Amino acid sequence: MENKDLWVYIETENGTAKNVGYELLSPGRAMADKLGSKLVAVVLGKNAESVAKKAISYGADQVLLVEGDEYDTYNTDAQSYAMETLIRKYAPFIVLYGATNNGRDVAPRVACSLHTGLTADCTGLDIDENGLLASTRPAFGGNLMATISCPDHRPQMSTVRPGVFKKAPTDDSRSGEIIREDIHIDPDKIRVHLLERVKEVAEAVHLEEADVIVSGGRGLGCAENFSYIRDLADVMGGVVGASRAAVDAGWIPHAHQVGQTGKTVAPKIYVACGISGAIQHLAGMSGSDTIIAINKDPDAPIFSVADYGIVGDLFEVVPAFAEAIRAKKM
């Protein structure tokens, strides 16, 4: 009988998990229940037992835990070897990865080695009427959505953008099985070695994990006017985001971009300043809990998804907004 287990790859670094792994346990739980199967978290890391226990509290029935020095920081050869070894041993039905830089690296390597399919950058997941994984992703620049299945090869695999799904509430009373697997790659087969880490702006942004994001768009007019956005983000305890138009204009680095060709986010509060609301941008932030839009055009599409809309000049509204928050904090 075919194994119906559904796996979620929990990406770790220095003993800490990336949020997207926990996020994927939420749809994973729903689909595993639909299939009548186990939800299995796969944790590769060093001193990562706490991550395994937390995965159970987020809904996993079982955790495959692989620990070793070679998994402390991401390494393509070590991670793909471990995943391939586990998949060949247990033969899961579905494997989900976060569409992070590392997830986008390891997933296609594993898919190629196992001669199976991979659907990338998904924004929707379900089990179809045939009991197969139905992975939905934007196509043709976000102008339509394609649902893709892999009927002939196993496991079915997809990468999913961070922020698409919400983490389920933790339940520390849940019990689950942690299976330790002793998997180590021959050091001679590791072709890439980390010599030095250089911190860049991308490491300081963390859009996917932010509770508050203040984004600026074409309406800012120039790079210098992002000072308005930074000031409001600072007073709200948030981070700075941007539309594609602002990034393409060279006003702010791509690491800040929200949208179809940027990052998918789902913060508690998203403030869109001078952003018209093209479909590609909405695809990246419409899952936010509360959306506040500031735009001088009353017909801007951004207002169709906003919980609160302010029609006005952002150069007047944003400073007043920031000052009102400061006054409340005093």
Side-chain angles (χ1 to χ4, degrees):
M1 185 175 179
E2 187 176 33
N3 185 352
K4 291 287 185 178
D5 288 353
L6 190 154
W7 287 13
V8 173
Y9 169 79
I10 308 290
E11 183 182 335
T12 71
E13 186 162 0
N14 301 321
T16 302
K18 299 287 181 69
N19 273 336
V20 65
Y22 294 143
E23 291 168 4
L24 288 177
L25 289 172
S26 183
R29 179 72 272 164
M31 292 190 293
D33 290 344
K34 205 168 183 179
L35 290 166
S37 68
K38 286 186 295 188
L39 176 60
V40 180
V42 181
V43 178
L44 313 179
K46 181 181 179 182
N47 301 324
E49 185 173 350
S50 61
V51 174
K53 290 178 178 177
K54 198 167 184 180
I56 292 171
S57 73
Y58 275 116
D61 299 308
Q62 188 180 82
V63 180
L64 297 177
L65 176 60
V66 182
E67 294 184 296
D69 291 341
E70 62 266 56
Y71 309 114
D72 192 22
T73 55
Y74 180 80
N75 178 279
T76 300
D77 293 313
Q79 294 275 330
S80 58
Y81 175 78
M83 286 300 296
E84 290 163 22
T85 302
L86 290 171
I87 290 170
R88 292 183 194 280
K89 178 176 180 179
Y90 290 98
F93 189 57
I94 295 169
V95 183
L96 305 177
Y97 306 78
T100 60
N101 289 338
N102 296 343
R104 286 168 170 162
D105 179 55
V106 70
R109 287 176 60 88
V110 173
C112 183
S113 177
L114 298 174
H115 304 289
T116 190
L118 174 69
T119 307
D121 278 1
C122 299
T123 56
L125 299 169
D126 200 0
I127 302 298
D128 68 14
E129 65 275 10
N130 297 314
L132 298 174
L133 174 65
S135 302
T136 302
R137 72 178 309 277
F140 295 100
N143 292 313
L144 60 84
M145 304 298 284
T147 299
I148 301 167
S149 63
C150 180
D152 300 324
H153 300 278
R154 298 291 179 269
Q156 303 160 87
M157 302 208 304
S158 295
T159 63
V160 183
R161 286 191 170 197
V164 169
F165 295 100
K166 299 280 190 183
K167 288 188 291 187
T170 57
D171 180 359
D172 294 331
S173 67
R174 290 191 82 257
S175 60
E177 182 184 19
I178 297 177
I179 299 175
R180 294 180 179 273
E181 290 284 344
D182 189 24
I183 300 173
H184 298 283
I185 187 172
D186 183 340
D188 291 337
K189 293 184 178 179
I190 295 180
R191 296 165 292 177
V192 178
H193 298 275
L194 180 63
L195 301 179
E196 180 185 5
R197 300 195 72 165
V198 179
K199 290 188 177 181
E200 295 182 351
V201 64
E203 293 192 6
V205 179
H206 298 306
L207 283 173
E208 300 99 322
E209 300 180 11
D211 287 333
V212 177
I213 298 174
V214 182
S215 285
R218 192 192 306 274
L220 286 170
C222 65
E224 290 71 25
N225 287 337
F226 260 93
S227 61
Y228 290 87
I229 305 302
R230 293 187 182 94
D231 184 52
L232 181 56
D234 286 344
V235 76
M236 295 183 71
V239 299
V240 174
S243 70
R244 178 174 179 173
V247 172
D248 285 351
W251 299 343
I252 192 167
H254 182 267
H256 293 266
Q257 185 175 324
V258 173
Q260 186 58 56
T261 52
K263 294 177 180 176
T264 301
V265 299
K268 293 178 181 176
I269 301 174
Y270 187 88
V271 186
C273 308
I275 296 174
S276 63
I279 187 171
Q280 290 86 350
H281 188 78
L282 300 184
M285 46 66 73
S286 57
S288 306
D289 290 346
T290 301
I291 299 171
I292 302 169
I294 302 169
N295 200 295
K296 64 182 180 181
D297 179 6
D299 298 319
I302 192 71
F303 290 122
S304 67
V305 299
D307 298 288
Y308 301 96
I310 302 172
V311 178
D313 185 343
L314 71 87
F315 300 112
E316 296 177 1
V317 175
V318 171
F321 192 3
E323 193 55 42
I325 295 172
R326 283 194 186 92
K328 282 287 186 181
K329 288 183 173 182
M330 294 178 65

